[in-house]
């Protein structure tokens, strides 16, 4: 019997996981005061309909949409009668654990309004949006263009006589595409379009545009809007496309915090211009995506680590040949799961740090923050998607069942690799920024590290310390930067053209990864020091696994330049193995400190009580629609007649 196994695991933990939970809560939800944590949990306990159910694994798409709309209504009813700030609303929305139009309304549409609308516009629009009297989405990406603003084709031409803007998507490539919530649900959108004034193109601006009637929900004149159809996962997020044909909106619908057009057709813009604020908004979105994508990995690890404690495989105890060994005790299982656990903590602390830097940044600092945000978004989403698949494989055959929760987590997370820029494109753009900083010798943290003189050899007396690991990661970044600088100089001397895209891209992308590694470790080491002493040994074991894994992947640079010795590399490998073993008893506490409710996890394998097999049998028998009939109709009608017996 599995009953009691997980309780025994919890007792073996070296720290009090219950005391750890509120400390991690701050990193997951930094905009929520600690005093409000228990209050929010109590609210959710009284609203069970705000959580999804296991039927999501068996329902057809129309039923899932109807349930999602019921959820949206109940959520809004709660918001209307409860005083909550934006972060608290996002916390409640996160419990549904699947992107849907209501999340897009609150996560994308309303933040864009707050950033781009004038105070007068916000006074008029925001109260209606926050009461869900209309549902908004965001329309920037086009069929033939990604989030690269300079090539957007959608136009908004001012007609002075009627005091209106006339919006058009002039070519098929310019149709707005991948609008989350646009296909079926949204009534309004923020459209990014080129402002045309007196036949002059003034560049991209943002417009508040109704696309469906509030009264009938029918598309408005000149608007052609539809759902995009089947996708990988994200079943209840109705991504849509939008075609505009001479759609007229009032002059006042140009979001005018930073620019406006007067009645006489005069343009007034102030610094920062509209396109700069759209840019800042997208940088912030990438940081938010980087943070949000961590939660599915945490959920996957909760399932896999709990199941690895419950599942026993092979009789390998020499002193008791009748007893099977739990999966969690096998080294390969520990390497799979503990490495990912270290990644999850590193990503959480690093994104907390970057969000804080971004929120207090100036325009001059945004250039380097943008490079780091693209690096994090690309790196984090890749790790999460591959990490959830690793968790699924770590659960063996049962991980293949939808009731494990793992296939759902994978298919709803993998799309994040394409949100706000496909990852390869983001890495290439981040690489261009770093090369640009080096070429211009601009004063930034990156250029300071790139131009430092690295010691000829790093002494390995303290190879377990954060200081030694930081020195190694800084050396890797520095050496990579010098290689890129050398190659760039050679290419320019040979009069090579289009260097960044054709001849330097791979080397520069590696530089982006090393810059991200260094920053992530610095944040990890810094935040550990803020935790009480009882939690630091386990956290430092995670930090060591993260840092040593990053260093060992790039050891060729250190060895090639004789910065460290082969003996040091071997000692680092041994130290990483030691750190893995140290986590054996603490793994369950470290993952359960994230406090993922079972009603959010929706996993048979990740049950808190460990009753895996009993529940899996019951659900497979009773919740499977195929099992409602003793003999499936198609067998009777088509297959049985073939039998000669």
């Amino acid at each position: 019997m599995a009953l009691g196994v997980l309780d025994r695991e919890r007792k073996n933990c070296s720290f009090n996981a219950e005391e750890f939970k509120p400390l991690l809560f701050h990193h997951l939800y930094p905009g929520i005061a600690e005093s409000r944590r228990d209050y929010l949990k109590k609210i959710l306990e009284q609203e069970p309909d705000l959580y999804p159910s296991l039927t999501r694994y068996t329902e057809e798409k129309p039923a899932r949409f109807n349930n999602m709309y019921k959820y949206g209504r109940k959520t809004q009813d709660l918001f209307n009668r409860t005083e909550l700030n934006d972060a608290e609303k996002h916390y409640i929305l996160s419990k549904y654990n699947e992107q849907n139009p209501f999340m897009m309304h609150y996560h994308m549409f309303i933040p864009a309004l707050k950033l781009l609308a004038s105070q007068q516009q916000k006074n008029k629009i925001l109260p209606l949006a926050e009461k869900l009297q209309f549902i908004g989405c965001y329309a920037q990406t086009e069929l033939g263009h990604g989030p690269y603003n300079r090539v957007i084709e959608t136009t908004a031409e001012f007609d002075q006589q009627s005091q209106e803007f006339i919006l058009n998507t002039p070519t098929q490539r310019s149709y707005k595409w991948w609008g989350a919530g646009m296909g079926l649900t949204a009534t309004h959108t923020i459209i990014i379009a080129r402002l045309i004034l007196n036949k002059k193109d003034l560049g991209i601006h943002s417009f508040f545009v109704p696309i469906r009637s509030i009264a009938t929900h029918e598309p408005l004149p000149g608007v052609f809007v539809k759902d995009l159809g089947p996708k990988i996962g994200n079943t209840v997020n109705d991504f849509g496309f939008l075609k505009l044909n001479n759609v007229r909106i009032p002059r006042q619908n140009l979001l005018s915090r930073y620019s406006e057009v007067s009645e006489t057709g005069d343009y007034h813009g102030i610094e920062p211009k509209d396109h700069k604020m759209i840019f800042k908004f997208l940088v912030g979105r990438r940081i938010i995506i980087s943070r949000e994508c961590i939660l599915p990995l945490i959920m996957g690890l909760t399932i896999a680590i709990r199941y690895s404690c419950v599942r026993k495989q092979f009789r390998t105890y020499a002193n008791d040949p009748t007893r099977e060994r739990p999966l969690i005790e096998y080294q390969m299982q520990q390497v799979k799961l503990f490495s990912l656990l270290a990644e999850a903590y590193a990503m959480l602390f690093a994104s907390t740090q970057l969000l804080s830097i971004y929120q207090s940044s100036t325009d001059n600092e945004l250039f380097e923050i943008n490079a780091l945000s693209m690096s994090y978004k690309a790196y984090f989403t890749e790790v999460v998607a591959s990490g959830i698949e690793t968790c699924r494989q770590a659960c063996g055959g049962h991980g293949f069942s939808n009731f494990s929760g793992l296939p759902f987590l994978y298919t709803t997370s993998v799309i994040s690799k394409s949100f706000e820029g496909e990852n390869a494109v983001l890495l290439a753009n981040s690489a261009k920024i770093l090369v640009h900083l080096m070429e211009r010798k601009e004063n930034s943290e990156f250029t300071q590290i790139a131009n430092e003189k690295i010691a000829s050899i790093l002494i390995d007396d303290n190879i377990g310390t954060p200081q030694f690991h930081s020195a190694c990661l800084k050396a890797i970044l520095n050496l990579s930067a010098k290689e890129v600088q050398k190659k760039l100089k050679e290419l320019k001397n040979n009069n090579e053209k289009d260097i960044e895209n054709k001849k330097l891209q791979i080397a520069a992308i590696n530089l982006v990864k090393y810059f991200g590694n260094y920053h992530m470790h610095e944040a990890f080491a810094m935040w550990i020091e803020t935790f009480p002493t009882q939690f630091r040994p386990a956290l430092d074991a995670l930090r060591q696994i993260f840092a040593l894994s990053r260093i060992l992947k790039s050891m060729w640079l250190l060895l090639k330049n004789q910065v460290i010795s082969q003996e040091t590399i071997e000692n680092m490998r041994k130290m990483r193995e030691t750190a893995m073993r140290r986590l054996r008893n603490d793994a369950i506490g470290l993952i359960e400190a994230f406090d993922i409710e079972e009603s959010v996890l929706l996993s048979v394998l990740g049950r808190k009580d460990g009753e895996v097999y009993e529940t899996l049998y019951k659900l497979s028998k009773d919740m499977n629609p195929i099992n409602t009939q003793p003999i499936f109709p198609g067998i009777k009608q088509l297959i049985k007649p073939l039998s000669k017996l």
Side-chain angles (χ1 to χ4, degrees), residues 92-126:
I92 287 172
L93 287 165
S94 73
K95 299 305 175 183
Y96 194 72
N97 185 32
E98 184 175 13
Q99 288 190 353
N100 60 69
F102 304 103
M103 286 186 181
M104 294 301 102
H105 178 80
Y106 280 100
H107 289 186
M108 195 81 172
F109 178 76
I110 288 179
L113 271 180
K114 289 181 176 179
L115 181 68
L116 300 170
S118 67
Q119 190 58 52
Q120 184 178 5
Q121 288 172 325
K122 284 188 277 193
N123 291 343
K124 181 180 178 181
I125 301 171
L126 277 177

Side-chain angles (χ1 to χ4, degrees), residues 226-264:
K226 294 288 183 182
D227 182 79
L228 281 176
K231 310 168 293 293
I232 299 177
N234 282 260
T235 304
V236 296
N237 200 355
D238 50 318
F239 290 94
F241 67 87
L242 178 67
K243 177 183 176 182
L244 303 172
N245 182 23
N246 292 325
V247 173
R248 290 177 173 267
I249 59 172
R251 176 178 60 86
Q252 294 83 356
N253 282 30
L254 166 66
L255 296 180
S256 56
R257 180 176 180 180
Y258 301 105
S259 55
E260 65 179 1
V261 174
S262 70
E263 292 181 19
T264 56

Side-chain angles (χ1 to χ4, degrees), residues 207 228 386 589:
F207 300 84
L228 281 176
S386 62

Side-chain angles (χ1 to χ4, degrees), residues 22-35:
L23 303 178
L24 275 188
F25 185 88
H26 162 73
H27 286 274
L28 283 169
Y29 309 101
I32 302 176
E34 186 177 337
S35 59

Side-chain angles (χ1 to χ4, degrees), residues 10 249 361 526 532 617:
R10 293 174 186 119
I249 59 172
S361 65
M526 182 198 76
Y617 168 71

Side-chain angles (χ1 to χ4, degrees), residues 297-315:
L297 178 59
I298 291 168
M299 293 171 68
L301 284 166
T302 303
I303 295 166
I305 289 174
R306 281 177 176 170
Y307 182 66
S308 295
C309 294
V310 171
R311 178 73 173 186
K312 297 178 180 179
Q313 200 85 29
F314 308 120
R315 295 170 179 172

Side-chain angles (χ1 to χ4, degrees), residues 603-628:
S603 170
V604 172
L605 304 189
R607 285 180 63 95
K608 191 174 183 179
D609 60 10
E611 293 185 11
V612 170
Y613 305 120
E614 304 89 332
T615 311
L616 186 56
Y617 168 71
K618 187 177 186 303
L619 291 178
S620 299
K621 177 172 65 76
D622 299 337
M623 276 194 67
N624 185 349
I626 294 292
N627 291 336
T628 58

